[in-house]
Amino acid sequence: RRVFASMAEGAEASGWELTGRHVVAEYAFTDCVKGTQWSPDGTCALTASDDRWLRVFELPAAVVADLYAGGHPGEDPAGDAPEEAAEGAPLEVAVAARESEGIYDYAWYPLMHSASPATCCFASSSRDNPVHLWDAFDGRLRASYTAYDQAEEVMGAYSVAFSEDGCRIIAGYERAVCVFDLSRPGRPEAVRATARTRQSRDGQRGILGALAVAPHGTNLYAVGSYLGITGVYTDPEGDLVCLLQGHTAGVTQVAFAPGGTHLFTGARKDGRILCWDLRKPEAPVAAYARHAPTNQRIGFSLDPSGRWLATGSQDGRALVYDVWAGPEPGPAVAHEGPAAVNAAAFHPFGNLLAITTGERELPRNLGLDDDDDNIADGYPAAQAVPHRLALYRLAWSPTGPGATPTPAADNGAVDMQTDPAGDAPQAAEADVDATPGAGAPTAETPIPEGSPAAAAGTRTPVPE
């Protein structure tokens, strides 16, 4: 919060541009990594990968010290430019938990704070398994939440999220949303059907693979389906508010803006992130371009102010848009490399951007001889694609009133500017600074009734 408050001091500047970035920490995976999420208190990053491991990474002490150090965002205490700073030290796995099948989704407990061990947990969903609640200190399984089909067989949830108060888990299945009481593991307390049958013309059909809960007591949640439709529902009633149709393929992520009146949606095989005004949901109000031509899930995130939108892109770039300016000025490029960026996540209150890179890829030339070393059991080996988690520190500089976008020197990025007219739709929604990462949680975060109990302890690293 302090870091980005300094950016608001220059009232005469109407915009900000991304002028530098460098890696402060990173970790290399042996399998394809499936995105990342920051913990609500900003001390940890959570990842899932194809080896079915959920890994928790703690920020290095030097990075934490830099977050709370004095100075302008991106300022190097040694006086060097961010681009000239040394490459970051390797991240270490603090805690790991393994699912028995492929991981579909995961989410942090929304009131998590490292000073309160009972709140340090996260949920995950995997194929043909219950929703699991894991301890973020020692990796043990705290509880399981199970939904059953008509044959009394366990169903795996395709998406998972917590209610805003942290007392319930909301999980998406095929044509249904199940609500679990966090304090009562087992069967769901409510099952909300989104469509009667697979052929039904009413409601939301298909697999519900993306879920997000609206902030600030707006009592809404959004669910995206593999049929390209996003439904917005009331909570706790589960009544349908509206259906949003604009994507050409399955919706892979939904995210509310901090004010709760705007919703961002992304889909596979669709090179757009759509922004919807839920007060006028007939059509999207903006579309932000990225490269997403395949079925790979490409993640995005909004900073706490709702002004900045960061997204991965399959062409190897991480893009940052100024939402207040709209998509026309174009994005700034926060990362550029050979591997697809499958997620980009803003830190909750610091000038850090976490990205994950990697994709499943087979050799383009499949005409190999039987005795070729790349053939194993009749199948071609996968290409060596870098799979990694990288934490970037971003440097920003103010721009003058009415500034126009100008190309960056080397990487083809476009500087981010604000709306010259000053009528940015998100400005009235967020009660925080209009820059990435305001609103850090405090150690006095309350633990509501029904939250899972946990023994206090110290995180112990899990061997690879």
Side-chain angles (χ1 to χ4, degrees):
R1 183 185 304 152
R2 179 210 55 74
V3 169
F4 288 98
S6 65
M7 298 179 69
E9 295 177 357
E12 72 283 354
S14 66
W16 293 85
E17 62 178 348
L18 181 64
T19 56
R21 78 274 190 198
H22 78 280
V23 178
V24 295
E26 60 183 336
Y27 180 86
F29 294 82
T30 57
D31 294 271
C32 184
V33 59
K34 302 177 180 179
T36 185
Q37 292 185 17
W38 287 104
S39 61
D41 70 347
T43 61
C44 307
L46 174 64
T47 65
S49 54
D50 276 353
D51 57 7
R52 297 173 289 178
W53 280 99
L54 293 147
R55 293 177 173 88
V56 177
F57 299 89
E58 287 186 329
L59 283 178
V63 178
V64 175
D66 180 67
L67 282 176
Y68 291 97
H72 190 277
E75 180 181 350
D76 188 352
D80 298 327
E83 293 85 355
E84 300 173 1
E87 288 297 314
L91 285 167
E92 294 185 358
V93 179
V95 177
R98 194 180 192 191
E99 289 281 7
S100 60
E101 296 290 344
I103 298 170
Y104 287 145
D105 199 8
Y106 51 95
W108 281 102
Y109 182 64
L111 304 180
M112 180 269 185
H113 198 286
S114 294
S116 301
T119 66
C120 295
C121 57
F122 55 89
S124 68
S125 63
S126 60
R127 184 166 62 92
D128 298 333
N129 276 301
V131 174
H132 290 148
L133 186 69
W134 302 95
D135 192 293
F137 267 83
D138 55 21
R140 65 184 172 88
L141 180 64
R142 289 192 186 180
S144 298
Y145 305 87
T146 312
Y148 298 88
D149 60 15
Q150 295 177 348
E152 286 296 307
E153 294 183 351
V154 176
M155 297 190 301
Y158 296 98
S159 56
V160 63
F162 286 91
S163 60
E164 189 179 14
D165 59 7
C167 292
R168 292 168 296 138
I169 291 177
I170 304 174
Y173 297 83
E174 184 177 2
R175 295 182 291 108
V177 170
C178 292
V179 181
F180 300 91
D181 186 336
L182 199 64
S183 63
R184 299 180 63 183
R187 292 178 179 265
E189 66 175 11
V191 178
R192 304 169 183 171
T194 59
R196 292 185 178 180
T197 66
R198 292 182 178 179
Q199 289 77 32
S200 177
R201 295 185 178 181
D202 299 325
Q204 187 178 10
R205 297 179 292 114
I207 291 174
L208 307 182
L211 211 159
V213 176
H216 304 316
T218 49
N219 298 326
L220 296 174
Y221 64 88
V223 184
S225 78
Y226 281 14
L227 296 182
I229 301 174
T230 301
V232 180
Y233 300 86
T234 60
D235 187 41
E237 298 83 5
D239 297 330
L240 178 64
V241 176
C242 61
L243 290 177
L244 309 176
Q245 303 183 50
H247 287 292
T248 57
V251 177
T252 56
Q253 187 178 353
V254 293
F256 283 92
T261 60
H262 287 75
L263 181 71
F264 291 78
T265 61
R268 56 174 48 92
K269 291 187 176 180
D270 192 340
R272 303 168 301 158
I273 296 174
L274 300 182
C275 176
W276 306 82
D277 187 340
L278 298 181
R279 297 163 294 189
K280 298 179 291 183
E282 295 82 10
V285 296
Y288 301 89
R290 61 179 181 175
H291 192 67
T294 69
N295 284 322
Q296 184 174 15
R297 179 178 300 202
I298 305 295
F300 64 88
S301 73
L302 290 160
D303 82 292
S305 73
R307 175 174 181 174
W308 309 102
L309 171 68
T311 178
S313 185
Q314 214 162 350
D315 58 5
R317 299 183 299 164
L319 309 175
V320 181
Y321 283 95
D322 185 348
V323 174
W324 291 7
E328 290 303 325
V333 178
H335 165 85
E336 194 165 12
V341 178
N342 56 51
F346 278 117
H347 190 272
F349 59 90
N351 58 332
L352 292 179
L353 180 71
I355 67 165
T356 54
T357 64
E359 58 188 321
R360 301 186 191 96
E361 186 173 338
L362 294 176
R364 303 184 188 281
N365 182 15
L366 300 181
L368 301 175
D369 298 329
D370 292 340
D371 58 348
D372 194 288
D373 293 336
N374 291 327
I375 293 292
D377 298 329
Y379 293 93
Q383 289 181 347
V385 177
H387 309 290
R388 69 170 187 151
L389 165 67
L391 307 184
Y392 276 89
R393 187 177 69 168
L394 306 180
W396 307 80
S397 297
T399 59
T404 56
T406 56
D410 297 320
N411 55 18
V414 179
D415 294 340
M416 296 171 293
Q417 312 295 336
T418 57
D419 185 357
D423 56 354
Q426 302 285 345
E429 297 180 8
D431 222 1
V432 293
D433 297 330
T435 45
T442 64
E444 291 76 23
T445 303
I447 306 173
E449 292 186 17
S451 62
T458 303
R459 291 193 178 95
T460 55
V462 176
E464 288 298 321

